[in-house]
Amino acid sequence: MAEKNQIPLVSVFIMGKEYKVPSGLTLMKAMEYAGYRYTRGAGCRAGFCGACATIYRLKDDYKLKSALACQTTVDDGMYLVQLPFTPANKKKYDMEKLNIAHNALLKEYPEIARCISCNSCTKVCPQELKVMDYVQASLRGDIEKAAILSFDCVQCGLCAFRCPAEITQYHVGQLARRLNGKFVAPKAIHTEEAVAKLNNGVSKKEISKLKILKLAEIKDLYKKRVTE
Ligand code: SF4
Ligand code: SF4
Ligand code: FES
């Protein structure tokens, strides 16, 4: 007889084999519960690194779904497949030599012109980004829009797997953000001002005091720091 308060079990299929795992576990923990060990395909375990891209199907559902394994909980009857790596087209470029006046995004990634606007990339994105829209913005040379729309990309690679035009959207988005930071967005002057103050000796006294502190005193000071 089932014990009171016992967590109900659900069935998941990993590499085609059925396992019973406690409901409420993330896909990642369910795989570990079933005895698998992540040597690749896991990083931050917190939804930031994009290393745990997973595709799955639910029982009697034709749709192929996608998720980050560390952020999604198991459903009964899930069929899971891990995608530990995306063989992506990643360009090497010199940021100093890129020319935004001549659509650097299109020049580095000419395949974006092949986009057929199928929207598969947007549908698959676990971050719910408007992936097709940032590809289209890149094609038009709208660096700022491409950078903003792709800002929360975790580089999981799922969009590239679904793209019939063989575009690696996340590398295009990454270049857009780099170009935006270097050439388009206004310069952050507060850092320059802070460095100038340091160079002018404004904080010299405070720095001299810090230099003679013991490690424990520095740690204590750090703990008591004022944070925003
Ligand atoms: S844009 Fe692509 S790589 Fe980035 S999070 Fe979405 S699916 Fe993953
Ligand atoms: S999946 Fe590829 S072809 Fe389809 S909209 Fe996205 S970038 Fe364009
Ligand atoms: S392990 Fe980093 S996003 Fe899942």
Side-chain angles (χ1 to χ4, degrees):
M1 202 169 106
E3 275 180 41
K4 215 177 161 189
N5 297 331
Q6 197 176 8
I7 297 172
L9 299 177
V10 294
S11 281
V12 293
F13 295 81
I14 304 168
M15 312 285 175
K17 183 171 167 23
E18 185 177 10
Y19 296 89
K20 297 279 183 198
V21 301
S23 61
L25 289 187
T26 60
L27 306 184
M28 187 171 272
K29 285 186 178 156
M31 285 190 68
E32 288 170 333
Y33 182 91
Y36 289 83
R37 195 167 139 237
Y38 279 84
T39 51
R40 297 295 304 264
C44 66
R45 293 175 177 258
F48 293 112
C49 74
C52 59
T54 303
I55 55 173
Y56 67 92
R57 269 210 163 97
L58 292 169
K59 201 166 171 241
D60 300 327
D61 187 348
Y62 72 92
K63 206 169 170 192
L64 196 59
K65 297 171 189 275
S66 60
L68 295 176
C70 68
Q71 296 300 296
T72 308
T73 48
V74 284
D75 266 333
D76 193 38
M78 262 184 170
Y79 287 78
L80 301 172
V81 175
Q82 290 295 115
L83 300 174
F85 173 68
T86 314
N89 172 30
K90 186 170 184 234
K91 289 291 167 64
K92 280 191 179 167
Y93 41 77
D94 181 346
M95 287 301 293
E96 301 300 331
K97 291 184 183 154
L98 295 183
N99 186 344
I100 59 166
H102 293 100
N103 198 345
L105 289 166
L106 183 59
K107 188 162 175 290
E108 294 303 317
Y109 292 100
E111 62 271 29
I112 58 177
R114 293 200 303 255
C115 174
I116 55 166
S117 304
C118 66
N119 213 23
S120 301
C121 48
T122 302
K123 285 189 199 154
V124 81
C125 179
Q127 293 290 88
E128 298 181 358
L129 301 183
K130 292 179 176 167
V131 189
M132 183 183 77
D133 291 11
Y134 83 65
V135 171
Q136 291 293 326
S138 303
L139 189 53
R140 294 193 304 274
D142 189 342
I143 291 169
E144 188 180 13
K145 187 160 187 188
I148 292 169
L149 289 178
S150 67
F151 192 79
D152 286 327
C153 173
V154 293
Q155 315 251 112
C156 69
L158 282 162
C159 49
F161 268 109
R162 298 307 301 270
C163 181
E166 300 180 337
I167 295 165
T168 44
Q169 296 87 335
Y170 51 103
H171 284 323
V172 178
Q174 185 181 58
L175 177 55
R177 296 192 298 282
R178 286 175 174 162
L179 290 169
N180 191 51
K182 187 165 175 60
F183 299 110
V184 183
K187 292 267 170 282
I189 53 166
H190 59 279
T191 310
E192 278 175 25
E193 285 173 356
V195 173
K197 273 187 191 169
L198 283 175
N199 288 341
N200 290 336
V202 171
S203 309
K204 221 173 170 178
K205 217 164 134 192
E206 283 77 7
I207 291 172
S208 311
K209 273 197 233 163
L210 282 175
K211 278 183 174 170
I212 54 169
L213 288 181
K214 295 199 167 64
L215 185 61
E217 290 171 320
I218 292 176
K219 281 184 179 173
D220 191 46
L221 205 60
Y222 182 77
K223 278 186 207 150
K224 289 179 184 156
R225 76 197 185 283
V226 180
T227 51
E228 285 176 14

